[in-house]
Amino acid sequence: MASDGMSSTGLYGGRKSSQFNNSTPVRLRVSASIMNCDDQDGDVDYAGSRPQSRGSSHAGDINQNQSEGSENGNTVHGVLATTFFPSDPLASGPVLEKYQVEAFLKSMQRIIQIGGRRSYFGKKFSISGRDRFTLEDMLSYQRDPIPTSLLRLNSDSMTRAVKLFQVILKYTGADLAPGSPPPTVQEQIDMVLKLYNSTLKRAELRDELFVQLSKQIRNNPDRSMLLKAWELLFLCASAMPPTKDFAAPLSEYVHDVANTPGDTEIQRIALNTLNALKRSVKGGPRRITPTAEEIEALLESRNLTTLVYFLDDTFEEITYDMTSTIADAVEQLAGIIKLASSSTFGLFECRKSVTGSKISDSGNEEHIGLDDNKYIGDIVAEFKTIKEKAKGELQCRLLFKKRLFRESDEAIVDPMFVQLLYVQSQHDYMLGNYPVGRDDAAQLAALQILVDIGPVPNPESTTDWQALLDRSLPKQIAVTRARRDWELDILNRYQATTHLSKAEARQQLLRILRSLPYGNSVFFTVTKIEDPIGLLPGRIILGINKRGVHFFRPVPKEYLHSAELRDIMQFGSSNTAVFFKMRVAGVLHIFQFETKQGEDICVALQTHINDVMLRRYSRNKNIPNGQVSNEVDTTATLSTKPAGLEVYEKHVQEMSKLLEESQRKIDQLSEAIRIKDKRETLVMEELAGLRDSLRAEEQTHSEIAEERERLTKQLVDMEGALQVALTEKASLIASVGGSQPGDDATSDMSDYETSIRKAPTVRARRDRDFLSSVGKERKDDQIRTLENQIKEIRAEVRLKTEDLRKHEDKAKNLLKDKQLLEQKIGRLEKNKVDETRGLEHKFEQERDELRARVAENEKKLQDRTQELSLAEQQLSSRSGEFDTLQANVKELEELREMKEDIDRKNLQTAAILKRQADQIVELQALYKEEQILRKRYFNMMEDMKGKIRVYARWRPLSDKEIREGEKLMLTSCDEFTIEHPWKDDKIKQHQFDHIFDQFATQEEVFEDTKYLVQSAIDGYNVCIFAFGQTGSGKTYTIYGSNSNPGLTPRVTQELFNCMKRDSNKFQFSLQVYMLEIYQDTLVDLLQPKFGFGGKPRKLDIKKDTKLRYSCEVHYQ
């Protein structure tokens, strides 16, 4: 509101006031300080505006607020309060904070307060400054340039933003003078290219451009300008997206317009803009500025075309526009070739060097995977740029093939899928990526030939047999054997597989390649950066399949090493490199390679790892459900076929052959029917032509007959009219005479008519005589009228008679012409027969001459063919020798390089071995020191526990004791104390190193004593004995039973385990004796009860200075 309390409408071209019904506006307050540029009047406030409507039903509800102005100075601070609709995301919420409201309003206020000249909005403003420019005006359509940018930008970007808006005004025609022609198509394309070049690489200017376009869409009163603004927004959205701050609000705004009832043309462009925004937001801006051809095609709603090739050099044509991505092209191509499963396929950039007019070997091709979000237009532009820079020496094209081979591919039976799988596998095999032996190579070559030509009786007699051999054997395998030996071997294997169809041969080849350790791999060419083991060449081919990563030497093609998936601990990639942390010979190493396909390599690895984890998860999930009992049963089930499976497979093969034969017969019958239909169609067309000619003749004849009948009818009508006229005349004459009777008058009339027919002149004279005798004037006029009628009738009769005579003459002439034509046709037929006979005679003569000449030429050709075959044989032998020499030279160079690599690797290996030997010596010394310390600390710990340890164990009640009702009196307070009742029912306690109650097992007792075995091995004397009253369980604790052994068997087993564990470090000798003290007598339990001579052997018991006793036992 103005400061005087009166409401005023913000000035803007084409806006109308409207009310927003049935909604609660979201109020958004924006504060701004407005500088008053008028020194004479400082009492001016600019705040708020009333609700304004938008051209597309998107209006803003503006809350009118009055701000208090300061009259003490020239600066007035006001509060600008505006409220927008919730459905207008570009003018509310956080997005509004991106606008430079204060600076823009200040600039516009200065322009508004300039008096005496036309303002930006087509109206002269008064110097008093009572008109206002509001935020709603800032975000709505205007025909004049803006003074600054709409968003907060730096000074350079602000200048560029003002120029962008001038281009928008020029494109939409807002700055055209009255009567000026609109921009041409080429001028529009140039303006769009200017916008692209200015904003494609600068995100802030892209946002400014989209905000300016949305400004020109709001409240635009001119429909043509509105359509051009929407068109320009669609072109910009197709090539680049706004930033994430504006992408969602702009998409929401366009979506609202596209789904709001209104102008159908605007809705259509808005819907196209929304789809373009979705694609560009996902794929990002175009990397290369779109060409004028792309812009023109998008303006005309037509598509461009490009070719996509396959590995067998066939191709398909696809269409694309400015927004088409690689994913769209893959989907379109899959639909064209009817490929049902295309998830593992993708487009690749194929680069191939060209020398002169000859394309280099396919082994030098480089296939670079393309991201699904890349634009087809960028790829095509890159191809053109590379071709221009390389001056035709580098060929680039789009290639369609599999990105990844998965285990689930084996279950897909789609014919197109199998065909593409076969083509790619064959291509990789011919490049040498699948090194195989001679037998496998011969079998694969036979299968490829069977797929190409099918089963034929004598394939070696075909003209392209040698070419088939060359196409089915890799070069590095073909040179390992004489060509004749290869030919015989392949021919024998081909004849052995002729029972297979082409589809079966294709599947057999895929099975053979799939069974290789590196089968079904995707291959990447990389360069070595870091090799810890020093055994890899500088350039390597990586193959990745479900088994792991495989390393190949490119020249010569040689398999080097494989790393299983379980050995790969970690992997990752950057834009130019990829690394693997994997286990080689039990040691972790980090390998790093240079490549631009690191992301594709990691994706392939991760996919195979996910498949393995999914299979394990499924298998573990099925085990609890009873589907798999154990691993052995599963293996047995998988390896054992059902009893009738072989019969079933044989029956399926027979049915397949019958089906193919039936299909072949159906094709033959279809061809015969097609030929018959074609002949029938020709006959019907000829018959239709004859019918048309007959119908035309009949129509002509009927027209002539109708004309004759019409003339005859007209003649009869004329005669009838004449008869009536004569009758009237006779009656008139009779009425004039009056005295004659009726019969005489009638007879006279008839005589009169007869006389008129015979002699017209006499009749006329009589009439004149008769009429002259009539004296009554009242009848004269009637007579004259009748005479005139009679004359007219006579004239018409004369004319019709003449016409009839002419038609009769014409019919006679036509009959004569027909006879003449028949005679002429007869003469022509006779001449034709004579001429045909002459031509036949001449043809026979010329044929005999030509036959003689052909026989002579055939003889010459046979001689020349023999000479040519001899020359070709010599040339082939020389070419073979030359190729062999070249291969030998190349191989020699490779061997020299290999020898250098081997020598270098040997030096590296020797250095590594020396370093490792030093490390081993050092580790052995450290190990010995650690072993000594371990023994010391272990025995110190055992000493700390005490040299003599006393354990207490009591047995549970026996069955007899339980029957007698006895009770257990011992209880354990803790693991070291036992107690029992004593005198006067007092409790008495005893302390031990450990307590084993009646529930303790033999294993628990052994756990506290088995560490003493290690002390015994380390050289300490160890003694374990049990004492107690009879029946207390001593024997059970020491010896136990067979099912539950005691300390002695367990200690013995532990002793042998320790000896076995340290057998590679120490040498052990073991002696055993077993003694018993019985009735104060020491008895050797391992000796017979009586020694030699019938007396028991006496054992020597000795005591050393440390009071240690020992008994020497000697066994024989």
Side-chain angles (χ1 to χ4, degrees):
M1 300 179 81
S3 60
D4 55 2
M6 296 178 62
S7 62
S8 63
T9 305
L11 296 175
Y12 195 78
R15 293 197 299 158
K16 298 180 181 179
S17 300
S18 65
Q19 300 295 329
F20 186 74
N21 300 324
N22 301 325
S23 66
T24 303
V26 177
R27 303 189 180 276
L28 176 65
R29 181 175 297 275
V30 180
S31 300
S33 298
I34 310 298
M35 297 298 295
N36 189 357
C37 298
D38 188 358
D39 295 337
Q40 299 177 359
D41 188 2
D43 189 16
V44 180
D45 294 338
Y46 299 94
S49 71
R50 61 193 182 88
Q52 305 294 331
S53 63
R54 291 184 171 81
S56 58
S57 301
H58 295 277
D61 184 15
I62 311 300
N63 182 28
Q64 299 181 5
N65 295 320
Q66 182 176 3
S67 62
E68 299 294 335
S70 174
E71 298 180 348
N72 298 327
N74 293 331
T75 303
V76 180
H77 297 279
V79 178
L80 180 65
T82 57
T83 306
F84 294 93
F85 286 1
S87 60
D88 192 357
L90 283 173
S92 62
V95 177
L96 198 58
E97 298 175 2
K98 303 289 183 179
Y99 294 90
Q100 54 166 356
V101 179
E102 181 178 353
F104 194 90
L105 294 182
K106 285 180 181 179
S107 300
M108 296 308 300
Q109 181 59 33
R110 293 190 188 99
I111 297 172
I112 290 174
Q113 292 180 350
I114 296 175
R117 63 172 180 151
R118 186 177 179 274
S119 72
Y120 275 28
F121 305 99
K123 179 180 179 182
K124 290 182 179 296
F125 293 92
S126 61
I127 302 178
S128 62
R130 294 298 180 181
D131 294 315
R132 298 186 304 273
F133 189 83
T134 63
L135 178 63
E136 179 67 7
D137 296 321
M138 173 183 172
L139 299 179
S140 298
Y141 168 78
Q142 70 181 55
R143 297 177 60 91
D144 296 283
I146 56 177
T148 183
S149 62
L150 299 176
L151 301 178
R152 292 190 177 95
L153 303 175
N154 55 37
S155 58
D156 179 63
S157 298
M158 285 183 183
T159 305
R160 294 175 183 267
V162 173
K163 293 180 180 179
L164 291 178
F165 194 79
Q166 293 175 357
V167 176
I168 293 174
L169 293 178
K170 187 176 180 180
Y171 185 91
T172 57
D175 63 344
L176 290 177
S180 300
T184 62
V185 176
Q186 186 59 43
E187 291 176 348
Q188 293 178 4
I189 293 174
D190 293 339
M191 286 185 280
V192 174
L193 287 174
K194 187 175 181 180
L195 293 177
Y196 286 167
N197 292 328
S198 300
T199 61
L200 201 60
K201 304 299 183 182
R202 304 186 66 171
E204 69 278 5
L205 287 180
R206 291 205 304 267
D207 291 341
E208 176 70 22
L209 177 61
F210 282 109
V211 170
Q212 292 180 5
L213 290 173
S214 64
K215 169 184 174 66
Q216 293 303 98
I217 290 171
R218 290 190 183 89
N219 300 336
N220 197 327
D222 192 327
R223 185 176 182 275
S224 61
M225 295 183 185
L226 180 61
L227 289 175
K228 296 300 290 183
W230 272 108
E231 181 182 274
L232 187 56
L233 179 60
F234 168 59
L235 290 173
C236 293
S238 300
M240 53 189 171
T243 60
K244 61 181 181 180
D245 295 329
F246 286 88
L250 181 61
S251 300
E252 185 179 353
Y253 178 84
V254 176
H255 178 270
D256 292 342
V257 176
N259 292 276
T260 301
D263 194 337
T264 57
E265 184 67 16
I266 292 178
Q267 284 184 310
R268 183 186 65 81
I269 301 178
L271 184 59
N272 293 337
T273 305
L274 181 62
N275 295 331
L277 273 174
K278 291 179 180 178
R279 291 188 177 184
S280 61
V281 168
K282 185 177 181 181
R286 289 284 297 267
R287 292 183 294 129
I288 300 175
T289 303
T291 61
E293 184 182 10
E294 291 182 76
I295 300 172
E296 184 179 2
L298 198 62
L299 287 173
E300 295 175 357
S301 299
R302 61 180 175 87
N303 292 327
L304 302 174
T305 60
T306 187
L307 298 179
V308 177
Y309 289 82
F310 300 87
L311 288 172
D312 55 355
D313 289 334
T314 59
F315 61 87
E316 288 288 345
E317 188 179 62
I318 62 172
T319 60
Y320 71 96
D321 57 15
M322 192 185 296
T323 63
S324 297
T325 59
I326 295 295
D328 300 331
V330 171
E331 183 178 358
Q332 180 187 164
L333 188 60
I336 293 175
I337 64 177
K338 295 181 174 57
L339 178 62
S341 178
S342 60
S343 60
T344 58
F345 286 84
L347 286 181
F348 290 76
E349 179 183 353
C350 177
R351 296 185 179 182
K352 183 185 296 185
S353 60
V354 181
T355 304
S357 60
K358 182 178 179 182
I359 300 177
S360 62
D361 187 23
S362 60
N364 296 326
E365 291 181 355
E366 183 181 6
H367 297 172
I368 303 174
L370 298 175
D371 188 9
D372 288 341
N373 293 326
K374 278 189 177 181
Y375 295 99
I376 298 293
D378 286 340
I379 303 301
V380 174
E382 287 180 1
F383 288 174
K384 292 181 180 178
T385 304
I386 293 173
K387 186 176 180 181
E388 292 174 358
K389 290 183 178 180
K391 297 180 180 180
E393 295 181 358
L394 188 64
Q395 184 185 72
C396 296
R397 62 185 183 181
L398 288 174
L399 182 67
F400 182 80
K401 68 172 186 176
K402 282 183 72 65
R403 289 182 180 273
L404 184 65
F405 292 90
R406 304 186 67 174
E407 193 170 1
S408 57
D409 294 345
E410 301 175 13
I412 299 177
V413 295
D414 181 18
M416 181 54 64
F417 185 92
V418 176
Q419 174 65 21
L420 293 175
L421 192 66
Y422 168 79
V423 169
Q424 186 162 349
S425 299
Q426 183 192 30
H427 178 268
D428 292 337
Y429 169 70
M430 292 303 298
L431 290 179
N433 293 334
Y434 293 141
V436 295
R438 292 183 179 180
D439 294 339
D440 290 339
Q443 184 67 25
L444 291 172
L447 292 173
Q448 292 179 69
I449 295 174
L450 183 60
V451 171
D452 290 337
I453 64 175
V456 296
N458 297 313
E460 68 275 10
S461 61
T462 58
T463 57
D464 55 348
W465 170 251
Q466 299 297 329
L468 289 173
L469 290 177
D470 294 335
R471 291 199 304 265
S472 59
L473 272 177
K475 293 182 179 180
Q476 59 271 20
I477 297 179
V479 297
T480 61
R481 196 176 183 184
R483 186 176 181 86
R484 183 59 181 170
D485 296 338
W486 278 117
E487 185 175 354
L488 293 176
D489 193 2
I490 294 173
L491 184 61
N492 293 332
R493 294 177 183 274
Y494 173 86
Q495 293 174 353
T497 58
T498 52
H499 64 281
L500 299 175
S501 63
K502 289 187 177 182
E504 292 172 344
R506 196 177 290 114
Q507 291 287 357
Q508 183 69 20
L509 184 140
L510 291 176
R511 279 195 293 269
I512 293 175
L513 293 180
R514 194 183 299 126
S515 63
L516 298 174
Y518 32 78
N520 277 359
S521 296
V522 288
F523 298 95
F524 306 88
T525 302
V526 299
T527 303
K528 180 183 68 175
I529 297 178
E530 183 178 356
D531 177 18
I533 61 177
L535 298 178
L536 297 177
R539 192 172 178 85
I540 306 168
I541 295 178
L542 294 182
I544 298 176
N545 65 354
K546 64 180 181 180
R547 296 180 178 87
V549 181
H550 312 281
F551 299 84
F552 300 86
R553 184 192 303 275
V555 179
K557 285 292 178 63
E558 179 185 2
Y559 169 73
L560 299 176
H561 179 68
S562 292
E564 296 182 1
L565 292 178
R566 62 186 178 185
D567 293 331
I568 301 174
M569 301 293 103
Q570 188 179 1
F571 56 88
S573 66
S574 64
N575 294 332
T576 59
V578 64
F579 78 92
F580 303 97
K581 185 178 182 181
M582 56 187 181
R583 186 184 296 109
V584 178
V587 181
L588 284 176
H589 296 287
I590 297 179
F591 296 82
Q592 191 172 356
F593 306 96
E594 180 183 356
T595 178
K596 294 182 180 179
Q597 299 175 275
E599 184 177 358
D600 295 337
I601 294 173
C602 293
V603 168
L605 268 177
Q606 190 62 50
T607 302
H608 288 304
I609 292 173
N610 292 342
D611 291 343
V612 172
M613 298 302 294
L614 184 60
R615 287 198 304 272
R616 290 181 179 177
Y617 172 75
S618 301
R619 183 162 55 247
N620 295 335
K621 185 177 180 181
N622 291 333
I623 289 176
N625 297 331
Q627 297 182 11
V628 182
S629 59
N630 52 52
E631 187 176 358
V632 178
D633 296 340
T634 304
T635 306
T637 303
L638 292 176
S639 61
T640 304
K641 290 185 177 181
L645 183 59
E646 295 180 354
V647 179
Y648 175 74
E649 291 178 350
K650 186 176 181 181
H651 180 65
V652 169
Q653 293 177 359
E654 294 176 355
M655 294 299 292
S656 301
K657 291 181 181 179
L658 291 176
L659 181 61
E660 291 178 358
E661 186 176 357
S662 302
Q663 187 65 34
R664 195 180 302 110
K665 292 182 179 179
I666 290 172
D667 295 339
Q668 294 176 357
L669 292 175
S670 300
E671 184 67 19
I673 292 173
R674 188 182 62 80
I675 296 173
K676 184 178 179 182
D677 292 340
K678 187 176 180 180
R679 292 177 179 175
E680 185 178 354
T681 303
L682 294 175
V683 173
M684 293 300 293
E685 290 177 356
E686 185 178 357
L687 181 60
L690 294 174
R691 287 177 179 174
D692 293 339
S693 60
L694 179 61
R695 192 179 298 109
E697 293 178 357
E698 290 178 351
Q699 185 176 0
T700 305
H701 186 271
S702 63
E703 290 176 356
I704 295 174
E706 289 176 358
E707 184 67 17
R708 183 174 182 179
E709 290 178 357
R710 186 178 63 80
L711 293 175
T712 304
K713 185 177 180 181
Q714 288 181 359
L715 181 60
V716 172
D717 294 339
M718 293 295 181
E719 289 178 352
L722 180 61
Q723 185 75 17
V724 172
L726 292 175
T727 303
E728 290 179 354
K729 183 177 181 182
S731 62
L732 181 60
I733 294 172
S735 62
V736 171
S739 59
Q740 295 179 1
D743 295 338
D744 294 338
T746 303
S747 62
D748 291 340
M749 189 67 192
S750 62
D751 294 338
Y752 177 73
E753 291 176 357
T754 305
S755 63
I756 286 176
R757 293 192 183 106
K758 293 181 178 180
T761 307
V762 177
R763 187 167 56 246
R765 189 167 52 252
R766 288 179 181 177
D767 290 339
R768 287 194 300 270
D769 295 339
F770 176 75
L771 291 173
S772 63
S773 63
V774 178
K776 294 184 180 180
E777 293 180 359
R778 62 186 180 84
K779 300 296 183 179
D780 291 342
D781 296 333
Q782 295 180 357
I783 292 172
R784 291 190 190 98
T785 303
L786 291 174
E787 286 178 353
N788 293 331
Q789 292 177 356
I790 290 171
K791 289 179 180 179
E792 292 176 357
I793 292 170
R794 285 175 180 174
E796 291 179 359
V797 169
R798 192 179 299 112
L799 292 174
K800 300 300 179 184
T801 304
E802 185 68 22
D803 291 339
L804 181 60
R805 185 181 61 79
K806 289 181 179 179
H807 284 293
E808 289 177 352
D809 293 341
K810 185 177 181 181
K812 291 179 181 179
N813 293 330
L814 289 174
L815 183 61
K816 290 179 181 179
D817 292 340
K818 180 181 178 183
Q819 292 175 356
L820 292 175
L821 288 173
E822 288 178 351
Q823 293 175 2
K824 187 176 181 181
I825 289 171
R827 289 195 303 271
L828 291 174
E829 289 181 351
K830 185 177 180 181
N831 293 334
K832 180 180 178 182
V833 171
D834 296 338
E835 186 177 356
T836 303
R837 289 177 181 175
L839 291 174
E840 288 178 352
H841 181 67
K842 186 177 180 181
F843 171 74
E844 289 177 355
Q845 292 179 354
E846 292 179 354
R847 184 182 62 184
D848 294 338
E849 293 177 358
L850 289 174
R851 284 180 177 175
R853 292 174 59 185
V854 166
E856 183 179 359
N857 290 331
E858 286 180 350
K859 186 176 180 181
K860 293 180 180 179
L861 178 62
Q862 186 175 3
D863 296 338
R864 298 294 183 274
T865 305
Q866 291 178 356
E867 295 175 359
L868 180 61
S869 62
L870 293 174
E872 287 180 349
Q873 290 178 0
Q874 294 177 358
L875 179 62
S876 62
S877 61
R878 297 294 184 272
S879 299
E881 293 175 358
F882 180 72
D883 294 339
T884 304
L885 291 175
Q886 279 188 337
N888 292 335
V889 170
K890 190 174 182 180
E891 186 176 0
L892 181 60
E893 293 177 356
E894 293 170 355
L895 289 174
R896 288 175 181 173
E897 182 181 357
M898 189 185 303
K899 182 177 180 299
E900 293 176 358
D901 292 341
I902 292 173
D903 293 339
R904 185 175 61 256
K905 292 173 185 176
N906 290 335
L907 294 176
Q908 294 176 356
T909 305
I912 291 172
L913 292 176
K914 184 178 180 181
R915 185 169 61 252
Q916 289 179 351
D918 297 338
Q919 291 177 355
I920 290 173
V921 173
E922 183 179 358
L923 290 175
Q924 286 179 346
L926 293 175
Y927 176 75
K928 290 180 179 179
E929 295 177 1
E930 189 275 335
Q931 189 76 4
I932 295 171
L933 291 175
R934 186 194 63 79
K935 291 180 180 180
R936 183 183 302 168
Y937 295 148
F938 176 77
N939 291 291
M940 287 173 63
M941 185 176 62
E942 292 295 327
D943 290 340
M944 290 172 65
K945 290 182 181 180
K947 293 183 177 296
I948 299 176
R949 303 170 201 170
V950 181
Y951 300 93
R953 183 185 188 188
W954 68 86
R955 63 173 176 79
L957 295 177
S958 62
D959 295 338
K960 178 180 178 183
E961 292 171 343
I962 293 173
R963 286 195 301 268
E964 293 178 354
E966 296 183 0
K967 295 182 180 180
L968 189 63
M969 304 303 294
L970 293 176
T971 57
S972 60
C973 301
D974 50 38
E975 61 180 352
F976 307 107
T977 307
I978 63 173
E979 60 183 13
H980 58 85
W982 192 242
K983 298 178 180 180
D984 299 331
D985 295 331
K986 293 181 180 180
I987 301 300
K988 187 174 183 179
Q989 295 182 349
H990 304 275
Q991 301 291 331
F992 298 94
D993 291 316
H994 197 279
I995 300 298
F996 298 100
D997 57 9
Q998 71 273 21
F999 303 108
T1001 61
Q1002 298 282 66
E1003 290 81 1
E1004 294 176 358
V1005 176
F1006 175 67
E1007 284 297 325
D1008 272 349
T1009 56
K1010 71 176 183 179
Y1011 299 106
L1012 298 175
V1013 177
Q1014 184 64 44
S1015 297
I1017 294 176
D1018 293 339
Y1020 289 84
N1021 293 327
V1022 178
C1023 176
I1024 301 174
F1025 64 92
F1027 66 94
Q1029 62 184 9
T1030 302
S1032 59
K1034 300 184 299 298
T1035 304
Y1036 180 79
T1037 300
I1038 295 298
Y1039 296 104
S1041 60
N1042 293 331
S1043 60
N1044 197 4
L1047 287 178
T1048 299
R1050 293 178 186 271
V1051 168
T1052 305
Q1053 183 64 37
E1054 181 67 18
L1055 179 63
F1056 282 99
N1057 291 338
C1058 294
M1059 292 169 59
K1060 183 177 181 181
R1061 181 194 64 196
D1062 298 335
S1063 60
N1064 57 344
K1065 304 174 186 177
F1066 306 102
Q1067 293 182 356
F1068 296 93
S1069 61
L1070 186 64
Q1071 295 181 353
V1072 180
Y1073 59 89
M1074 184 175 290
L1075 305 176
E1076 179 186 19
I1077 299 176
Y1078 182 71
Q1079 294 181 355
D1080 296 332
T1081 302
L1082 189 63
V1083 179
D1084 185 358
L1085 298 179
L1086 297 181
Q1087 286 286 355
K1089 291 185 178 181
F1090 299 99
F1092 297 99
K1095 294 182 180 180
R1097 182 183 180 127
K1098 185 178 180 180
L1099 300 179
D1100 296 333
I1101 299 176
K1102 296 181 179 180
K1103 181 175 66 174
D1104 58 8
T1105 57
K1106 295 183 180 180
L1107 302 179
R1108 292 184 298 184
Y1109 293 88
S1110 62
C1111 179
E1112 294 183 1
V1113 180
H1114 301 280
Y1115 298 123
Q1116 296 181 353

